[in-house]
Amino acid sequence: MKRFIFLLVYLITLNSDLFASRPTFINIITNSDTIHHPTLIDVSETEITLDTGIVILIDDVNAVMAYGPTKGLPILAGAACGYLGFFPGLCVTILIAPGFMEGGTDGIVGAITSYGTVVLSAIYAYKTTHRIVREKNQKMVYMDGWSVEEKRDFFINAIP
């Protein structure tokens, strides 16, 4: 039982938004191109290096579509997602172990299946809700009148 709890906490931690790698920017608009979903690796005095190997001159950047600040969803939203995860968990458990309410071996398999499916459904509901909130919180940052130093500081602050 101790290993099961450890495994459950480990899976929740891996699937949580704290450890998920998401791009900070939706796109970077330059004088000649638009780069979608870039991940910044390095910002030097005059250049931005992306994980794909593309090097962008800071002076060429015109605008950036970025995710706005999104705080974590409150505990009440997490509880609601857990509640929503209960119904799919119960349905899957009834399909896999139909006699789990009566006890016996189906009871153990049913309990494990029920808890596991409820947790996975709750995590999926929470991530979906968080994604929807993030997508509604996009901001376009126009950098036409910015100096190179201001642009560089903006990108340096965006690197996690």
Side-chain angles (χ1 to χ4, degrees):
M1 185 65 174
K2 194 181 236 183
R3 287 184 182 170
F4 176 73
I5 292 173
F6 174 76
L7 181 65
L8 184 66
V9 169
Y10 182 71
L11 287 174
I12 291 172
T13 304
L14 280 180
N15 287 317
S16 72
D17 290 324
L18 296 174
F19 296 98
S21 60
R22 290 205 169 100
T24 305
F25 299 112
I26 299 165
N27 58 32
I28 295 176
I29 302 167
T30 64
N31 291 336
S32 60
D33 197 12
T34 299
I35 300 160
H36 300 284
H37 300 288
T39 302
L40 304 179
I41 297 221
D42 186 37
V43 178
S44 67
E45 292 294 321
T46 58
E47 298 176 337
I48 301 167
T49 307
L50 304 178
D51 65 340
T52 57
I54 297 173
V55 177
I56 304 170
L57 293 175
I58 293 178
D59 197 32
D60 289 342
V61 176
N62 292 333
V64 173
M65 174 77 76
Y67 291 116
T70 303
K71 296 180 180 175
L73 295 175
I75 294 174
L76 184 60
C81 291
Y83 184 73
L84 289 175
F86 179 74
F87 183 71
L90 188 61
C91 291
V92 169
T93 304
I94 289 171
L95 290 174
I96 291 177
F100 81 98
M101 295 298 272
E102 298 164 4
T105 57
D106 271 355
I108 295 169
V109 171
I112 291 171
T113 306
S114 177
Y115 291 137
T117 312
V118 166
V119 167
L120 291 176
S121 297
I123 290 170
Y124 179 75
Y126 184 82
K127 282 188 161 192
T128 302
T129 306
H130 193 264
R131 181 182 48 83
I132 290 169
V133 168
R134 282 179 48 127
E135 288 175 357
K136 291 190 181 282
N137 201 17
Q138 298 174 0
K139 302 208 185 293
M140 179 65 90
V141 179
Y142 295 100
M143 300 180 170
D144 290 335
W146 291 23
S147 68
V148 175
E149 290 81 20
E150 290 173 329
K151 291 180 185 180
R152 185 182 67 239
D153 291 341
F154 176 80
F155 286 111
I156 287 174
N157 290 334
I159 295 177

